[in-house]
Amino acid sequence: MDIFLQVLKIIGFVLAGIAALVLLILLLVLFVPIRYDIKASYGPDEKVLKVSGKVSYLLHLIRASVSLVGTQLDYSVMIAWIKLFSKGKADRTDLDDLPDAPEPDSAAAKPKDEISDEPDGPEISDEPDGPEISDESDGPEISGETDGFKRKRKRDRDRDRDRNRARKPKKNGFAQFKKKVVGLKHKLIELNSKRENIVNEINDYRNRQAFSHIIKALKKIFKHMSPRKQYVNIMFGTGDPADTGQILGYMYVVGTLLRLNLTVVPDFYNKVFVLDARLKGHVTIFVIAFQTLRLYMDKNIKRLYRRISKYGR
């Protein structure tokens, strides 16, 4: 009996250890952030766009990096010290390291005039060894019968085509125009009925509550994913002072909406573009999963989804 209890005790410790390990892994996955760091530059010395990005997870246990210089793309994905995918300078083969092309054969290098047309094997006679077969046939000639059959088949085909043309009704332009007008009328009526349904659904209180919850959740997710440290420095000019001023206003509007640390230096007389930017932040899976679960459990959103599926059928 004591041995049985000892076995149950050991099994209990093992199960508790496995449960604690699973819980620890789950907490790490949910609460350890995914960190990202993105850099971009263009000019002034080299007119080439350079973009590099790094993503790490679980205390750099899983990491990936991407680099784009012009059209050259390099990337690598690693787990601990094991490289899963990679493409970079180490994987490219230099042109100087390629083997030389093989020398052509002497026979292939000869011009066509120096190559003998005589075969190496024994000569083969063109005359057959069997008895000669005369081209003249003892049977009756059938060339006239064949031509008559062709002419008869052509006449039958022309007659069938004429019959099909006679059977085909003539197009009535007014009837077709009337049919198109009636079809357009039905489409307008259908669109009008759908428009009324859409307006009614938008004005519905529960649907408005569902849209409000969706927008709030998306705002929280985007705010959480936005970079904590960032700057965007731009110097640009189009050569036209009016266009440069107009684009400058658009840039600051976009920067304000995206909450960017934006610095723009305009050049009203020269055509130039210089970029230096960096975005650094992190994303936690728990925040995204929590907001997604709240949307999934919302009764108004479920009702809205069912109604949209009903109209889509």
Side-chain angles (χ1 to χ4, degrees):
M1 189 66 180
D2 293 337
I3 297 175
F4 180 71
L5 294 177
Q6 290 292 333
V7 171
L8 291 179
K9 186 177 179 180
I10 294 173
I11 294 174
F13 284 141
V14 171
L15 293 178
I18 293 175
L21 182 61
V22 171
L23 181 62
L24 178 62
I25 294 174
L26 182 62
L27 293 176
L28 288 175
V29 169
L30 290 177
F31 291 97
V32 174
I34 302 174
R35 303 184 181 276
Y36 63 89
D37 189 0
I38 302 172
K39 299 179 182 179
S41 64
Y42 183 86
D45 298 331
E46 298 181 1
K47 302 300 181 180
V48 178
L49 178 63
K50 299 179 181 179
V51 181
S52 63
K54 296 180 181 179
V55 178
S56 62
Y57 185 47
L58 293 178
L59 304 177
H60 293 273
L61 183 65
I62 302 174
R63 56 189 182 276
S65 61
V66 180
S67 175
L68 177 65
V69 180
T71 58
Q72 180 62 42
L73 178 64
D74 302 331
Y75 60 86
S76 65
V77 179
M78 298 184 66
I79 296 180
W81 60 88
I82 302 174
K83 185 178 293 185
L84 299 180
F85 310 101
S86 66
K87 178 182 179 297
K89 297 180 180 179
D91 297 331
R92 295 201 305 269
T93 305
D94 195 354
L95 295 177
D96 298 335
D97 298 335
L98 294 176
D100 298 333
E103 294 291 338
D105 297 337
S106 59
K110 289 182 180 181
K112 294 182 179 179
D113 297 339
E114 298 181 4
I115 299 176
S116 176
D117 295 334
E118 298 180 358
D120 298 334
E123 296 182 358
I124 301 175
S125 176
D126 294 337
E127 298 180 358
D129 298 334
E132 297 181 355
I133 300 175
S134 176
D135 293 338
E136 298 179 356
S137 175
D138 296 336
E141 296 182 359
I142 59 173
S143 60
E145 296 179 1
T146 304
D147 294 339
F149 177 73
K150 290 182 178 179
R151 287 195 296 270
K152 184 177 181 300
R153 186 172 58 180
K154 184 179 179 181
R155 286 195 304 269
D156 295 340
R157 188 166 58 249
D158 294 340
R159 186 171 60 252
D160 294 339
R161 186 171 60 250
D162 295 339
R163 289 178 180 176
N164 293 332
R165 288 178 179 176
R167 293 175 182 175
K168 190 175 181 180
K170 295 182 179 181
K171 295 182 179 179
N172 191 345
F174 180 75
Q176 289 184 351
F177 177 74
K178 183 178 179 181
K179 184 178 180 181
K180 289 182 179 179
V181 170
V182 173
L184 181 61
K185 180 181 178 181
H186 289 308
K187 288 183 179 180
L188 292 176
I189 294 173
E190 184 179 358
L191 289 176
N192 188 29
S193 63
K194 288 184 177 180
R195 183 185 64 84
E196 292 178 358
N197 293 332
I198 293 173
V199 171
N200 292 332
E201 292 296 336
I202 293 175
N203 293 330
D204 187 88
Y205 175 76
R206 297 182 65 180
N207 292 341
R208 293 171 64 181
Q209 288 292 109
F211 282 118
S212 176
H213 293 168
I214 293 173
I215 293 174
K216 288 181 180 179
L218 291 178
K219 283 183 177 180
K220 290 181 180 179
I221 291 175
F222 286 134
K223 183 179 179 180
H224 173 72
M225 295 176 63
S226 61
R228 302 297 190 274
K229 298 179 180 179
Q230 44 86 14
Y231 63 84
V232 180
N233 300 326
I234 299 175
M235 183 176 67
F236 85 101
T238 62
D240 186 359
D243 294 340
T244 302
Q246 189 174 8
I247 296 174
L248 178 64
Y250 292 153
M251 284 184 175
Y252 274 110
V253 169
V254 174
T256 304
L257 292 176
L258 298 179
R259 299 181 180 180
L260 295 177
N261 184 13
L262 180 64
T263 303
V264 183
V265 180
D267 190 338
F268 292 98
Y269 301 101
N270 300 318
K271 190 175 182 179
V272 63
F273 183 77
V274 179
L275 172 66
D276 182 21
R278 183 178 183 181
L279 305 175
K280 185 177 181 180
H282 64 268
V283 179
T284 305
I285 296 178
F286 173 76
V287 176
I288 300 176
F290 178 72
Q291 295 297 333
T292 305
L293 183 62
R294 287 188 62 185
L295 293 177
Y296 179 76
M297 299 299 293
D298 193 292
K299 295 181 180 180
N300 294 328
I301 294 178
K302 289 183 177 180
R303 175 178 175 272
L304 177 63
Y305 176 75
R306 288 195 298 266
R307 295 178 75 87
I308 292 175
S309 302
K310 178 182 177 182
Y311 285 119
R313 293 175 183 174

